[in-house]
Amino acid sequence: MPSTLSERDLKVIWHPYTRQKDMPPALPLVRGEGALLFDENGKAYIDATSSWWVNIHGHAHPYIAESIYRQALQLEHVIFAGYTHEPAVRLAERLLPLLPGSPGRIFYSDNGSTAVEVSLKMAIQYWWNRGVRRRRLLAFRHSYHGDTFGAMSVSERGVFTVAFQDYLFEVAFIDTPTAVNLDALQDQIRAHGPETAAFIYEPLLQGAGGMRMYEAAHLDVLLETCRSEGILCIADEVMTGFGRTGKLFASEYTEHKPDIVCLSKGITGGTMALGVTACSDAVYQAFVDDDKLKTLFHGHSFTANPITCAAALASLDLLEDPACADRRQRIHRQHLAFAERLRAIPLATNVRVLGTVLAFDVATGAGYLDNVGPLIARYSIERGIMLRPQGSNVYVLPPYCITEEQLEAIYGCIEGALGELKTR
């Protein structure tokens, strides 16, 4: 009989985004504290990726844990179709004034992919409800918007979607904007403006596409062009929301704001799954009609779960504390300083920093399936650092509570890993 947690895991678990053949044993973790996670032997690991970009305040934060506990004693769950509760209403009341574009309504779902699914259904049905034939969807190349079929359809066709290619609906893809291609992109948008229902984009930072960064000013021009063509704009802030890029939301960097915003990941401080789709009042009003067919027929069993909403409210309390902004700025400054060190290493190319995100590419690598990622991940785990490169793209995206010393340990580990690769 298997005895350790890793051995038991190998017998029964199918892990996400993990090659199953010859899969190495999963690292058994039993508790967390701040930026640290501990295995069953008591060894500590620095979480350099915020556990897939969700944990913004640190693990097992006592304030969020206490809020979850209190809510669980009061109301753990209730159907949200025709019923409501205080945590959901209060969270919506607090979120709406913070979000870019002055949205008017909040629709709750379960995670980032479903938040995107809701946004697409809102945008498509918005035009259908108005009796206008606009069916074309626009998205960026190298984008990633989730794993459900609608989210996959508006994502880059590649490794994540290849098995489902024939089942995805047609989407028009354009390059992210630069000073060189901006005029051509505007022409593309205008050429199909009357046919285009919506444009979905990750503002400033394409996460799973390789931590690709682009200029806010260039995005602003595209948003203005879409606006002039009546195209609904959907900002996928699932990753970039809640302070990751420096500002509270990446869309704050642009003058033109989205009609619909998708949120998840950091919304609960990384403690529980929650999706939010916020829309403008103009979008919402297209669903307010005597015709019952104009209802948005979408929902989830755990929509607006009270415990999850309580966690999100507690996370917002921590996020709005000025000390949290100071911590994010300190991480940004440390990243900038380390970026200069990285640029002196020939193997590290395209070094870039945005807010609390630092990323670079390994010169010898060749994309998401490259073996350099697992090599760096294994090297770092042996040294108590949890990194998860996307193939030859390496990034650091820590919880905001991380200390200067912990960040420096991550940087030193990366330098060591690059030194090892150089000698291979």
Side-chain angles (χ1 to χ4, degrees), residues 5-26:
L5 188 57
S6 293
E7 290 170 342
R8 290 163 55 202
D9 174 280
L10 279 171
K11 296 288 185 182
V12 294
I13 300 295
W14 188 341
H15 287 272
Y17 285 94
T18 302
R19 181 171 175 259
Q20 297 303 296
K21 184 175 175 58
D22 302 322
M23 182 179 67

Side-chain angles (χ1 to χ4, degrees), residues 71 75-78 85 87-88 302-311:
Q71 185 58 50
L75 178 65
E76 84 299 340
H77 187 61
V78 66
H85 51 80
F302 287 95
T303 293
N305 175 261
I307 299 174
T308 306
C309 290

Side-chain angles (χ1 to χ4, degrees), residues 7 10 79 85 131-132 142-143 153 182 197 203 240 291 302 330 336 344 380 384-386 423:
E7 290 170 342
L10 279 171
I79 181 175
H85 51 80
V132 178
H142 305 294
S143 58
S153 293
L182 196 53
T240 55
D291 185 350
F302 287 95
R330 190 253 306 157
L336 290 174
S380 63
I385 308 292
M386 295 174 66
T423 61

Side-chain angles (χ1 to χ4, degrees), residues 47-332:
D47 187 352
T49 65
S50 297
S51 288
W52 250 347
W53 322 340
V54 301
N55 192 292
I56 59 178
H57 304 299
H59 295 281
H61 197 289
Y63 182 73
I64 300 178
E66 178 66 25
S67 297
I68 291 171
Y69 169 73
R70 288 197 309 268
Q71 185 58 50
L73 291 176
Q74 185 172 342
L75 178 65
E76 84 299 340
H77 187 61
V78 66
I79 181 175
F80 207 61
Y83 301 85
T84 194
H85 51 80
E86 176 67 20
V89 174
R90 187 150 41 98
L91 179 57
E93 289 173 340
R94 288 187 62 183
L95 275 176
L96 287 171
L98 298 176
L99 292 173
S102 302
R105 298 281 169 160
I106 293 288
F107 192 101
Y108 290 111
S109 62
D110 294 353
N111 54 52
S113 296
T114 56
V116 167
E117 291 287 327
V118 171
S119 76
L120 296 174
K121 291 176 78 170
M122 279 182 179
I124 291 167
Q125 192 174 342
Y126 167 83
W127 295 108
W128 187 86
N129 282 3
R130 294 180 61 195
V132 178
R133 186 176 175 81
R134 284 197 182 220
R135 302 184 61 178
R136 188 172 183 266
L137 294 175
L138 187 65
F140 281 139
R141 293 189 178 94
H142 305 294
S143 58
Y144 175 85
H145 295 290
D147 286 343
T148 50
F149 272 85
M152 283 195 296
S153 293
V154 293
S155 299
E156 171 79 7
R157 303 295 198 265
V159 172
F160 301 154
T161 63
V162 65
F164 314 104
Q165 209 82 324
D166 294 341
Y167 299 88
L168 306 181
F169 55 75
E170 187 176 346
V171 173
F173 290 97
I174 60 173
D175 291 328
T176 48
T178 67
V180 175
N181 69 10
L182 196 53
D183 288 342
L185 294 179
Q186 288 180 274
D187 289 341
Q188 285 180 258
I189 293 170
R190 293 189 187 107
H192 299 279
E195 311 156 31
T196 306
F199 167 46
I200 185 168
Y201 58 96
E202 298 161 276
L204 309 190
L205 175 62
Q206 296 180 297
M211 295 297 169
R212 295 168 179 266
M213 301 176 187
Y214 63 100
E215 294 295 326
H218 298 146
L219 174 61
D220 219 9
V221 173
L222 295 191
L223 295 179
E224 182 180 22
T225 306
C226 287
R227 182 81 64 207
S228 69
E229 296 293 328
I231 299 168
L232 294 178
C233 296
I234 304 171
D236 179 351
E237 294 247 19
V238 167
M239 178 207 176
T240 55
F242 303 101
R244 274 293 169 207
T245 64
K247 294 184 183 292
L248 201 55
F249 300 97
S251 295
E252 293 179 35
Y253 287 97
T254 61
E255 178 184 349
H256 297 278
K257 307 304 181 187
D259 302 286
I260 301 174
V261 181
C262 306
L263 305 170
S264 189
K265 292 199 182 291
I267 192 170
T268 64
T271 57
M272 305 183 78
L274 176 63
V276 161
T277 307
C279 70
S280 68
D281 191 60
V283 170
Y284 174 73
Q285 289 302 323
F287 295 81
V288 181
D289 198 280
D290 291 332
D291 185 350
K292 293 180 181 179
L293 283 178
K294 293 186 178 180
T295 302
L296 180 63
F297 291 106
H298 190 100
H300 302 264
S301 300
F302 287 95
T303 293
N305 175 261
I307 299 174
T308 306
C309 290
L313 286 162
S315 179
L316 269 184
D317 289 342
L318 298 173
L319 192 67
E320 291 182 320
D321 185 334
C324 184
D326 292 342
R327 287 191 286 270
R328 299 201 311 269
Q329 290 169 7
R330 190 253 306 157
I331 292 169
H332 180 67

Side-chain angles (χ1 to χ4, degrees), residues 339-374:
E340 290 307 308
R341 285 157 52 186
L342 272 178
R343 291 186 180 105
I345 301 174
L347 273 180
T349 64
N350 192 21
V351 180
R352 52 213 185 265
V353 175
L354 178 62
T356 65
V357 184
L358 176 141
F360 67 93
D361 301 311
V362 179
T364 56
Y368 189 85
L369 296 180
D370 195 279
N371 288 329
V372 72

